[in-house]
Amino acid sequence: MSLSEFTVEDGAFLVRLARKSVEEYLTRGIEISPPEDLPEKFRVKRGVFVTINKLRFEGGFRHKVLRGCIGYPYPTHPLVEALIDAAISAATSDPRFRPLKPEELREVVFEVSILTEPELIRVPSPSMYPQMIRIGLDGLIVKKGWFTGLLLPQVAVEWNWDAEEFLSNCCIKAGLPPDAWLDRDIQIYRFQAEIFEELEPRGEVIKKELHWG
């Protein structure tokens, strides 16, 4: 997947579809079907994550608090189908949060991340992993046995992590010790994402550009 494949208009369509999927599920109890007559790019199998953030105002400043995030790391389903399922799951099935209530829909913003296929990072020594990770571009998947953890590219930027901190936190996400990335039997994958987000609930959708440092 090219990181310039989707336009802002494409992203706006996907973000609004994610919101509509959740609205229909929470208010009417139905899972909507994908729209018909879509361009082929929306029907190709792709990895996708839907993130729901709650807007809060404290001390005169607005900030976002994670309310749910679930998705498909690998291109196993057509994009629109994976998106609808991920959106509903992010709202109702993220084990870290209670299910979203209908009245919260006016307080949350939706973010859609369309993923490239994860690529195994190969290094002569695990100590070289940090050199292979580009903060602001790469997301990570850590695998060791039954343990798996994934962090989207924007997470490292939002928390101002360097590459070692990103690796450590991805290990923690997988349920592993923070230094597990130094083990020789671990597998680390990287991927990139095109990210689109609402600025306000039901508001303008932009393409999210990541900056670090």
Side-chain angles (χ1 to χ4, degrees):
M1 183 190 89
S2 165
L3 285 182
S4 60
E5 182 171 354
F6 292 89
T7 66
V8 174
E9 290 74 20
D10 294 334
F13 164 75
L14 292 170
V15 170
R16 288 165 185 153
L17 180 61
R19 174 178 281 277
K20 182 180 179 183
S21 301
V22 173
E23 289 176 341
E24 291 293 314
Y25 190 82
L26 294 184
T27 60
R28 300 174 59 198
I30 62 171
E31 181 172 330
I32 64 172
S33 299
E36 298 181 359
D37 301 323
L38 287 175
E40 182 61 24
K41 69 172 74 174
F42 295 117
R43 299 195 179 278
V44 173
K45 292 180 179 179
R46 301 189 191 280
V48 64
F49 270 72
V50 175
T51 303
I52 302 173
N53 289 305
K54 194 161 191 174
L55 296 180
R56 288 187 178 169
F57 295 86
E58 294 179 1
F61 295 95
R62 187 183 81 163
H63 65 280
K64 294 185 294 186
V65 178
L66 183 64
R67 190 62 181 82
C69 181
I70 286 182
Y72 287 84
Y74 295 92
T76 56
H77 295 74
L79 176 58
V80 288
E81 295 179 14
L83 175 83
I84 291 169
D85 184 71
I88 294 171
S89 295
T92 63
S93 302
D94 188 325
R96 299 169 292 179
F97 305 99
R98 57 178 171 76
L100 195 72
K101 296 180 180 179
E103 56 267 27
E104 291 183 87
L105 286 167
R106 62 178 179 270
E107 303 170 352
V108 298
V109 287
F110 283 74
E111 179 179 289
V112 171
S113 301
I114 309 164
L115 278 52
T116 62
E117 187 163 1
E119 164 200 14
L120 180 64
I121 303 176
R122 301 182 186 276
V123 291
S125 166
S127 64
M128 296 179 65
Y129 278 125
Q131 302 172 39
M132 305 296 292
I133 295 165
R134 301 159 294 180
I135 299 296
L137 182 61
D138 294 331
L140 295 179
I141 298 173
V142 166
K143 289 186 176 183
K144 185 177 181 181
W146 294 103
F147 296 93
T148 301
L150 180 148
L151 289 173
L152 296 169
Q154 55 267 46
V155 175
V157 175
E158 290 164 358
W159 287 92
N160 199 31
W161 291 333
D162 60 23
E164 289 193 15
E165 291 171 320
F166 197 16
L167 284 161
S168 295
N169 279 280
C170 200
C171 290
I172 293 170
K173 183 76 178 290
L176 297 167
D179 60 352
W181 59 271
L182 289 166
D183 296 347
R184 289 195 170 272
D185 59 344
I186 203 163
Q187 291 182 311
I188 297 177
Y189 296 78
R190 65 185 178 191
F191 60 88
Q192 293 80 52
E194 285 194 89
I195 309 162
F196 300 92
E197 65 172 347
E198 291 179 316
L199 293 179
E200 303 286 346
R202 300 187 181 90
E204 179 187 0
V205 175
I206 64 166
K207 185 170 185 177
K208 190 170 184 175
E209 302 293 343
L210 301 179
H211 303 282
W212 179 79

